[in-house]
Amino acid sequence: MESSNFKRMRFGGCYLNSIACKCLALFGFALVLRSVSLPTFSVYDYYGIYTPKTNTSAARSQGSSLPGNVKFGIRVDKFLEVPQIVWGLNNQKIAFARACLTAKMLNRTLLMPSLSASLFYKEVDLLQPIYFDKVFKFDHFNSHCQGSVRLGRYSEISNNTDSSVELPKGSGRRWTVERDMEQLRQYSTDPFDSYEVIKITGKNPFLWPDHWPVEDYAKIFDSLVLVDDIAKDVEKVVSKIRERGGKVRGDTDTGSSGFPYMAVHMRIEKDWMIHCKKLEQRQNISEICSSKDEIMERVHNVRDLQTPMVIYLAVADTLLEDNFIFDGWKEGFHPVEKHRLGVYDIYERYPYLIQSAIDYEVCLKADVFVGNSFSTFSSLIALQRTQKMINMGVKRSCGIKVRWPSYAYNILGESNGPQLWMTNMSDSSLQAISYGTNKGQPQLILMLEGDLKNGRC
């Protein structure tokens, strides 16, 4: 007869004084202890996708605690493949970022896509492919995006030809954002998730519906760093511009890095004027197209601008109807472009995509930037310049002299000048700056933390 309360306790239907039950109790205690010591995993994240919810910094220092097929929270044995990315440089950047964020949602490594060096976006068979790592630094991208996005190479795929499945992207008016998200959720679960490679088919990724906030895109764009050879040529162009600044000021002692310059993305080419006029008609607004004279007038009226000032004109000169882009500038403004600057030989060595990438970086590095808010090129520059200011701790722009200011010349600002421009980084979608968007202009010219009131500071 058992004489103590402890001996009367039962575990799993038997008394603890039994040797077998004592062993069972110890085993159960060990299981509880093991579950507490292992990393915590959540079955579903925000999108309903299985994702390990480990502490990233702990995972980096204790990589052995992660499963063998996961590296910093991203699976390395499951891949997403996308079609060749097309259209202009910045449309391709958006497409690439959208592919990265799709892979992130599916918890897959994105197979390094090919970009398009040429601009034949309609004649797909004429597109000149160029791999991502011939333009941007592959390792830097992965290092900068650790824990959220990972690029992989095709050599990482196994030789199993039956290990892939196609994901056909829908299109047309009936293909809504909600239907697109539902399709992605479907492919994040078995049987689709069991395949090694999911291959997206259909229209190019730039036309996919957008599901991600601006901040997610900003991190991808910030991780795109040009390879060394192209970056060196960018510095040569910037150095030439600043050197010209010293000459117009009659001062060459400061050195080529000390003189400020302005970059103007002058969208007056034939193809743009046709496109922007159609946009104005479709959206019933008149603040998209700008003539050369209007651009010059508003640039002349940029606040607190110290002259003389060298102005780099980023323009596709081969598509110009008016070749006299240097005429009409006021005293103190010194416009230059590739030919007049003496750097056209740098550009002509490269295909269209890289020429555009050089111009993009020249505009990004400018002390002042002025562009068109309906241009993807200008919009992404304004976005990255806004991110630069945020990284420096600047949360407001009114009443202070900000570093890397941007303006939109197609919107009238103070003193008949261009509108001060900062991207709304809290926007839930990048669609506002996507090609062919139907969103109105107020979505594009926004200041941080309510700085604007009725479109003004």
Side-chain angles (χ1 to χ4, degrees), residues 7-32:
K7 288 182 179 181
R8 284 192 174 95
M9 291 175 63
R10 297 169 63 90
F11 185 87
C14 63
Y15 291 102
L16 282 177
N17 63 344
S18 164
I19 295 177
C21 287
K22 287 180 180 178
C23 292
L24 182 60
L26 289 172
F27 180 74
F29 178 77
L31 284 178
V32 173

Side-chain angles (χ1 to χ4, degrees), residues 164-262:
S164 65
V165 63
E166 290 188 351
L167 192 166
K169 297 296 291 185
S171 62
R173 294 181 180 178
R174 294 184 179 181
W175 189 255
T176 63
V177 173
E178 292 74 21
R179 290 187 66 183
D180 187 79
M181 175 59 78
E182 182 58 36
Q183 183 191 49
L184 292 179
R185 287 197 181 102
Q186 181 184 6
Y187 274 76
S188 69
T189 59
D190 286 333
F192 302 106
D193 190 54
S194 62
Y195 286 93
E196 182 184 15
V197 180
I198 292 179
K199 296 182 177 182
I200 290 183
T201 61
K203 289 190 176 181
N204 71 78
F206 180 66
L207 297 179
W208 300 350
D210 186 11
H211 305 292
W212 300 280
V214 171
E215 288 183 342
D216 286 0
Y217 282 97
K219 183 172 183 178
I220 301 295
F221 298 144
D222 195 43
S223 304
L224 297 175
V225 174
L226 293 174
V227 296
D228 290 341
D229 288 346
I230 303 175
K232 288 177 182 177
D233 282 335
V234 170
E235 290 306 320
K236 290 178 184 177
V237 176
V238 171
S239 179
K240 281 284 189 180
I241 298 173
R242 295 196 186 280
E243 182 182 319
R244 182 64 62 92
K247 291 180 179 179
V248 301
R249 294 184 180 214
D251 182 4
T252 58
D253 294 334
T254 305
S256 60
S257 62
F259 298 103
Y261 71 95
M262 174 192 289

Side-chain angles (χ1 to χ4, degrees), residues 21-50:
C21 287
K22 287 180 180 178
C23 292
L24 182 60
L26 289 172
F27 180 74
F29 178 77
L31 284 178
V32 173
L33 182 63
R34 182 177 183 271
S35 66
V36 172
S37 63
L38 286 176
T40 302
F41 287 82
S42 175
V43 177
Y44 294 99
D45 66 5
Y46 177 80
Y47 296 111
I49 311 302
Y50 173 82

